[in-house]
Amino acid sequence: MSVEERDPHTGYLTTGHEWNGIKELNTPVPRAVYFFLIATALFSLGYWILMPAWPFGSGYTKGVLGIDQRQIVSQSIVEAARDRATWTTRIQQASFADIQADPALMMVVRETGPRLFGDNCAACHGADARGNKGFPNLTTNSWLWGGSPEAIAETIRVGINSAHPDSRVSQMLAFGRDGMLQRPDIENVVAYVRSLSHADLATDKTVADRIAAGNTVFANNCASCHGPDGKGDPSVGAPNLTDAFWIYGGDEQTVFDTVWGGRQGHMPTWEDRLSEVDRKILTLYLVDQRMAQ
Amino acid sequence: MIGQLTKGERQLALVILIFLGLVGLAMAAGGRHDPLGAHGALVIVCALAGLMAVIAAYFDPEPDPERLDRYYDDPSKIGIVIAMIWVVVGLFVGDWVAWLLVNPDLTFDAGWASFGRLRPVHTTSVIFGFGGNALIATSFYVMQRTSRARLPDQLSPLFVLFGYNVFCLLAVSGYLIGVTQSKEYAEPEWYADIWLVIVWVTYLVLYLRTLARRKEPHIYVANWYYLAFIVVVAMLHIVNNLAVPVSLGHAKSYSLFAGVQDAMTEWWYGHNAVAFFLTAGFLGMMYYYLPVRAGRPIFSYRLSIISFWGITFFYMWAGSHHLHYTALPQWVQTLGMTFSLMLLVPSWASATNALLTLNGAWHKVRDDATLRFMMVAAVFYGLTTFEGSFMAIRPVNSLSHYTDWTIGHVHAGALGWVAMITFGSIYASVPWLWKRESMYSPRLVEAHFWLALTGTIVYVMAMWNSGIVQGLMWRTYDDSGTLAYSFLDTVIAMHPYYIARAVGGLLFLIGALIGCYNIWMTIRGVPSAAPRVATDTAAESPVAVPAGAAAFRSGE
């Protein structure tokens, strides 16, 4: 088997072996291979000398540059915080009104706010802050717990029905499921509630009668939270029922479902996850966006 | 298939299958309140199917003793067919999850259809289903011919092949019902892992027995690679999957490792799975099919040696480059990075060896899509290994890590290298195995080639763009020193690239479907109207090739 032969194309000898027709040339290894093997090995050697590299016993070679990735990270975090301190300290110390009056600070709010909102709030309230089913639209003047900067900041801090000890707590009762109202009463009060934002709802006498009957039901059952005029009460998180904005939907079936089965929304507390400065920026970003509309 | 087994082997097959069925029964009974029970049922079904096949052919006449003068190719044939089934499944699910990223609502509100469950179905189907079966099928083919020795028995190759596919089925079905140990590319739970160890050790023993019976004085390069693949995968699989099950009646287990040790073990496994499953095994394939198809001698035996030992030695250290800038101590990262850089040299030496082997046969590359598949595979192998070493450099990694660049890199390797060399090898083997003059339609091979190449390029380009855009967006700061983009902004920016990627994947899938059709028609022996292209012949029997015979078949 070991008969070397010369490959006519390349001129190199074969190794003399053959496997099912496959032969191999005895071509010497190209110089470039040795060159790059040595070059990469030398680079590695240099890198090992400079950087943390080889373990021994309980330690490792630290490298002559003394570089440590943990120190670099801690240091760069300190530096970044120092760079931002020019405005973070001012936002932390100033009142909402003062910040709103300061164009330079409001520029920071407009620059930073969208990222904070996008990374923390958009998942529920939507990238455009216009809300989703079950999650309020934040671009309107209709605020469950008050729309002043202080109230918004507090809602962000403690959340709604959250685990925070100071959490805002509210619940829409399940009037139908828990037997507080009978079905006809619910249908009437639904008609009444919808008429508050749809003046033209009463197209015929049947509907008008239902709205009138619903008015009484409302006064006896709903007004304690939503107010006698249905305009809501931010101190208990009761929504305004007379405007065009609905958290779960204002069509007949959805309003019926809300009255029948109740609602209890949830917003997490952000006190542990976002710094005070971040929460202030988010608050001002929302107020600013609303004003821009 | 069963007719090829001797009486004794048929009895042994019955014993194994009954035992397997009993194990399935125990799993089904012990795990009746757990997903393990469903897998017990699956094992019982597999065992019953096997029993029926063996019993149906049990009284068939014993195989002809003359068979011992021929190579045993049944397992290779079955393996190629199974590999083509897996590739269609894997590419289909892959493209499905690609569209899922374009439109995340495509889940039908079903748990099994969520991205997290479908994605491992894709990876396991293509890597282990397609890649693994192709490796097993071709390794049987190559080791017999390069050793000039028939497989030592008829049963163990079938046990390896079917046992391996039972593992793949357990894996893929498990993900859909929520069984996973959450280790990337090592998702199957303990019982499937134990089964794979049994199958794999049988595979190793089978390989060694065949090599021991070889009639060639030297072991051909392809066999070095196949053997490295088998040995190292066994080692990786066992260490990374060390775990304690909650109980013998539960599918769930907990890893023996925790925290950063777990991460390091996982990526030592993960990167060497790339190295020894997706590289070494397929290099074995390349070292056989490329020179045979080209009719050229290997460019340099010496280069083969340097590449082989370079790859096996350097790859082992490289896993930690998956954990740059993490809790992993920096010295481990340094070693991972530097060994990844040195690894480039033997990797390129392999690619060079393959491409220079084609010197004197480039006209064939032009005319023969099968050989072109292999050539392009070698080019993508070079590209991907360069990219891999580049991405292992820490500062580069700080941009590329966690982005789609990684996905692009993986698919340049998986589509461009692994799948292309496999399709080339399969197109070469099918006519040889089924004794056909050529593939049913060389024009369809050509169509498959261009679809595969276009699909790969579209996919990889899309992911390069997407990954770099994403990486840059994540690290862009505005004047106030805060991030310029929210995460959602970066996701929105990915949308067009995700569409392009899904289209690229679709092209690749269509190519594979054409391949299936072409292979099926070739197997059925349907004559083609297209003009014949002279194909290579491979020996059917271990009869010595006369020394000095002009064995570099020029083809023309």
Side-chain angles (χ1 to χ4, degrees), chain B residues 136-153:
Chain B
I136 292 174
T138 57
S139 71
F140 289 159
Y141 184 95
V142 170
M143 72 170 154
Q144 294 186 86
R145 279 156 182 83
T146 54
S147 303
R148 230 160 14 99
R150 182 185 159 88
L151 288 167
D153 67 296

Side-chain angles (χ1 to χ4, degrees), chain B residues 267-483:
Chain B
W267 284 110
W268 167 76
Y269 163 88
H271 196 74
N272 285 302
V274 174
F276 289 90
F277 204 99
L278 297 178
T279 304
F282 291 90
L283 280 171
M285 220 184 252
M286 184 192 80
Y287 267 107
Y288 181 82
Y289 289 96
L290 185 127
V292 169
R293 189 76 184 184
R296 290 288 305 153
I298 290 291
F299 169 70
S300 169
Y301 168 65
R302 295 157 189 259
L303 206 50
S304 308
I305 298 180
I306 284 216
S307 316
F308 176 79
W309 289 109
I311 285 172
T312 42
F313 177 67
F314 289 143
Y315 252 122
M316 272 293 152
W317 299 75
S320 57
H321 70 221
H322 288 258
L323 296 163
H324 280 337
Y325 301 100
T326 64
L328 189 74
Q330 195 178 352
W331 63 264
V332 196
Q333 301 175 28
T334 298
L335 294 180
M337 170 184 144
T338 46
F339 277 95
S340 301
L341 285 176
M342 292 187 276
L343 178 59
L344 178 60
V345 184
S347 298
W348 269 35
S350 288
T352 309
N353 210 7
L355 291 172
L356 291 182
T357 296
L358 292 171
N359 274 351
W362 286 100
H363 59 288
K364 292 188 188 175
V365 176
R366 184 193 61 206
D367 297 337
D368 176 11
T370 302
L371 186 57
R372 211 178 314 124
F373 260 118
M374 301 181 202
M375 185 278 285
V376 169
V379 171
F380 268 103
Y381 176 65
L383 278 176
T384 311
T385 48
F386 174 79
E387 191 184 25
S389 297
F390 182 60
M391 289 166 81
I393 300 171
R394 286 179 92 240
V396 179
N397 196 263
S398 78
L399 174 69
S400 75
H401 205 180
Y402 310 116
T403 72
D404 288 330
W405 189 352
T406 308
I407 321 298
H409 168 64
V410 167
H411 283 84
L415 302 177
W417 156 238
V418 172
M420 296 262 197
I421 191 71
T422 307
F423 287 137
S425 303
I426 288 180
Y427 282 134
S429 318
V430 165
W432 300 340
L433 281 168
W434 273 274
K435 316 273 181 287
R436 306 282 180 255
E437 212 177 309
S438 72
M439 285 299 295
Y440 164 70
S441 164
R443 290 184 61 188
L444 288 181
V445 179
E446 194 73 40
H448 181 187
F449 171 79
W450 288 109
L451 280 166
L453 182 61
T454 315
T456 306
I457 290 174
V458 170
Y459 189 114
V460 173
M461 291 281 178
M463 288 298 95
W464 277 342
N465 279 294
S466 151
I468 292 173
V469 168
Q470 197 176 23
L472 291 175
M473 283 177 90
W474 286 347
R475 56 159 61 167
T476 305
Y477 288 84
D478 56 25
D479 292 340
S480 51
T482 50
L483 289 170

Side-chain angles (χ1 to χ4, degrees), chain A residues 117-138 266-268 270, chain B residues 488:
Chain A
F117 188 86
D119 286 336
N120 297 289
C121 320
C124 294
H125 292 285
D128 55 2
R130 288 175 183 278
N132 279 310
K133 184 167 181 180
F135 305 104
N137 184 336
L138 303 176
H266 172 81
M267 164 156 160
W270 294 91
Chain B
L488 198 58

Side-chain angles (χ1 to χ4, degrees), chain B residues 1 21 24 55 70 94 252-253 271 313 317 405 471 484 533:
Chain B
M1 170 176 51
I55 290 169
R70 290 191 305 271
K252 182 79 202 125
S253 70
H271 196 74
F313 177 67
W317 299 75
W405 189 352
V533 174

